[in-house]
Amino acid sequence: MRLAPSAQVHAARVRRARRGRRRGSRRQILRHAAAGAALDHRDGNGFAHGEIISQRAARQRVVARLHRWHGTCFDAPAPHEKVASMSIEEAQFRGAGRVEAVTREEPADGAGRECLDHTAERIARLLQYEYGGVRDGRQRIYFVPDHTLTLGEAARLGIRSERDLYGGVVPYAFVGTRAATHAPVSADAIVPQRWSYALARMLATSVLRGYSAFSLMDACAAAKRLLRSGPVRIHRGDAEPAEASAVLHDVDECLEALEAIPLVDLAVRGVVVEHALAEETVHVVGSAQVGAQAISYIGTRRAPRIEQGRAVHAGCDLVVVQGDFAALDGVGLDAESRAAVLKAAHYDAALAHAYRPSFASRRSYDVVRGRNAHGEVRMGVRGPLWSCSAESPAEVAAMLAFRDLPGLASLRASTYESIGAFDLPDGAMVYHRADDEAGGLVTRYCTIDMHAS
């Protein structure tokens, strides 16, 4: 039986409507809204940053979309109603709160744990929150993790945005490591699921020549290829910024270094094989925000030294300003420091664009400069650090200084590590003092100089 023309038109409309519902049902869209949606925000350089919008705002957008599809309003706000939005100040200082430290492994101890506890206690002072003790279900919790969190870890803790932690959240564990920086050595190399091949192309001008690897075979292949043009270094994906790595000159040395890395760590966090540079200078570029206080900084990491037969991470000297990376232009950077800031900002924007949704209230990047085996000057970012680190006590001390002196434009913050007995400088804030395994007294502290920049 053949339908009349009007009936045919009606049947075609029904089929199109059904196809539209299959592409995105109400339940799927509302579930997506409840989890939060990612928006692209273009900055002045044209890069996109992943930004998590609130559940309520996401739901209202989806409700409006459903309203256009089905002609029903559900619980969309009336036209005269204003969508509620909370400023950072209101979100952080709303009612009583508590700051909690989060460690990857329990129990955690040593200098790293003391640095984490010191940073968390100072953040509690900055936010006027409590630190430690028994959690009250009515309190807002602010977290200070010792590693970059994944979205799953953040969801279990109740973290929804950068306002809830001092650190960062990424969609996959490898994104928070150095291994996200480089391309694999070949098209058939082993990489994690959801790997972004586009990121390596975006970062080509901002990193050193090297490869990322997640298997022993691929790491050896990468080392062989790079050794043709000079010595290499192998960095664990989750290595600390100040952690030194040996210069390797042949395949046997590379294999020995790789065999010292557990296979599970190699498969999950990966390694980076890079050309080694001589006469290295390590610039530290970062930004952090806690509540209403936002800072950015540029500085240099002092070269490790030997004291009493032990390698000492000498610390770093930072010039700190209020605001984002752009605010560093106001402190009169030299050409080398300006290049380091631009490379770090490029890396930061490209990483956020390649892996979404991701967000962070604390970002830090080591930018290394030196000469390769042919005497050519090279500069590149080694990787991201979106969690509490050795520079964090100085960062939070700088925020407290800016809060107490709002008119202060810039200051100098420094971190130190010393072995043995010595006289502490005036105003030093000690966050670790204990005997190490070799029996020497290790002291780590930071200082703030508000009269130098």
Side-chain angles (χ1 to χ4, degrees):
M1 178 179 175
R2 187 171 182 178
L3 296 174
S6 59
Q8 291 178 4
V9 171
H10 176 72
R13 288 176 177 171
V14 170
R15 286 195 297 271
R16 284 197 297 271
R18 287 174 178 171
R19 284 198 297 270
R21 292 190 185 100
R22 283 197 296 271
R23 292 191 189 103
S25 65
R26 291 184 189 178
R27 182 176 299 176
Q28 290 171 335
I29 298 168
L30 290 174
R31 187 186 300 124
H32 174 69
L39 295 180
D40 283 345
H41 170 67
R42 300 274 169 181
D43 66 6
N45 297 319
F47 296 108
H49 297 267
E51 180 184 27
I52 300 300
I53 63 175
S54 67
Q55 292 184 12
R56 179 174 179 180
R59 183 178 175 85
Q60 286 166 342
R61 281 178 168 81
V62 173
V63 166
R65 184 178 172 188
L66 289 172
H67 174 56
R68 290 196 300 271
W69 281 5
H70 301 284
T72 56
C73 188
F74 299 102
D75 55 352
H80 64 276
E81 292 182 354
K82 184 178 179 181
V83 175
S85 61
M86 197 183 305
S87 68
I88 292 177
E89 294 86 349
E90 292 170 335
Q92 289 292 354
F93 295 98
R94 182 181 176 185
R98 182 179 301 277
V99 175
E100 292 187 2
V102 179
T103 59
R104 177 178 284 152
E105 297 178 357
E106 292 285 358
D109 54 14
R113 180 63 202 234
E114 292 189 17
C115 176
L116 182 71
D117 288 340
H118 175 91
T119 302
E121 188 274 330
R122 291 295 177 123
I123 288 176
R125 185 181 304 181
L126 180 63
L127 293 174
Q128 300 178 4
Y129 281 6
E130 297 178 7
Y131 174 64
V134 180
R135 181 185 295 189
D136 185 339
R138 296 170 297 178
Q139 290 180 313
R140 179 185 180 87
I141 308 300
Y142 187 90
F143 296 94
V144 183
D146 66 349
H147 62 287
T148 305
L149 302 178
T150 62
L151 285 173
E153 290 175 301
R156 286 191 292 271
L157 292 171
I159 295 172
R160 298 181 180 180
S161 75
E162 65 274 11
R163 299 170 180 171
D164 299 325
L165 84 163
Y166 176 80
V169 176
V170 293
Y172 317 107
F174 70 87
V175 180
T177 71
R178 296 184 182 187
T181 301
H182 296 286
V185 69
S186 63
D188 58 351
I190 296 173
V191 294
Q193 290 185 344
R194 308 299 184 183
W195 177 266
S196 172
Y197 290 91
L199 179 62
R201 295 192 294 271
M202 288 189 283
L203 293 178
T205 60
S206 296
V207 300
L208 303 176
R209 188 187 172 198
Y211 299 100
S212 295
F214 293 86
S215 72
L216 186 61
M217 183 181 299
D218 293 337
C220 287
K224 277 185 179 180
R225 184 175 299 181
L226 291 176
L227 283 168
R228 296 170 188 166
S229 52
V232 301
R233 293 182 188 269
I234 295 178
H235 307 279
R236 292 185 301 106
D238 60 348
E240 289 290 329
E243 186 174 322
S245 58
V247 177
L248 309 173
H249 298 85
D250 56 46
V251 176
D252 291 337
E253 290 181 350
C254 292
L255 187 58
E256 183 179 352
L258 289 168
E259 288 177 342
I261 302 174
L263 289 178
V264 174
D265 289 348
L266 181 60
V268 174
R269 299 183 180 92
V271 296
V272 169
V273 186
E274 287 180 336
H275 270 150
L277 300 180
E279 305 172 16
E280 279 192 357
T281 300
V282 181
H283 297 271
V284 187
V285 182
S287 65
Q289 179 163 352
V290 177
Q293 297 297 323
I295 62 167
S296 294
Y297 55 83
I298 171 71
T300 54
R301 197 179 297 284
R302 301 185 213 99
R305 64 182 188 276
I306 303 298
E307 285 189 13
Q308 300 181 9
R310 178 186 180 278
V312 177
H313 299 154
C316 61
D317 298 303
L318 309 174
V319 175
V320 190
V321 299
Q322 299 193 64
D324 56 12
F325 287 139
L328 290 170
D329 281 337
V331 295
L333 300 178
D334 57 31
E336 186 175 323
S337 297
R338 184 181 298 276
V341 172
L342 290 175
K343 287 184 181 292
H346 178 202
Y347 188 107
D348 183 74
L351 184 67
H353 175 66
Y355 292 105
R356 295 172 286 177
S358 59
F359 54 87
S361 63
R362 195 265 176 181
R363 298 175 168 89
S364 181
Y365 303 94
D366 271 16
V367 186
V368 61
R369 182 185 185 275
R371 296 184 181 275
N372 63 15
H374 305 289
E376 301 165 332
V377 176
R378 293 287 183 265
M379 176 184 278
V381 181
R382 280 221 166 117
L385 185 61
W386 288 9
S387 61
C388 182
S389 72
E391 289 78 43
S392 297
E395 294 170 6
V396 180
M399 292 185 199
L400 286 165
F402 284 129
R403 184 198 65 180
D404 296 339
L405 297 171
L408 188 63
S410 64
L411 57 81
R412 183 178 295 276
S414 301
T415 62
Y416 301 89
E417 179 177 336
S418 298
I419 305 294
F422 68 100
D423 293 329
L424 285 168
D426 293 338
M429 291 163 275
V430 178
Y431 53 90
H432 173 73
R433 196 166 199 174
D435 292 331
D436 66 357
E437 296 177 355
L441 179 65
V442 180
T443 304
R444 294 184 179 181
Y445 62 96
C446 64
T447 61
I448 295 293
D449 185 355
M450 291 177 284
H451 304 288
S453 59

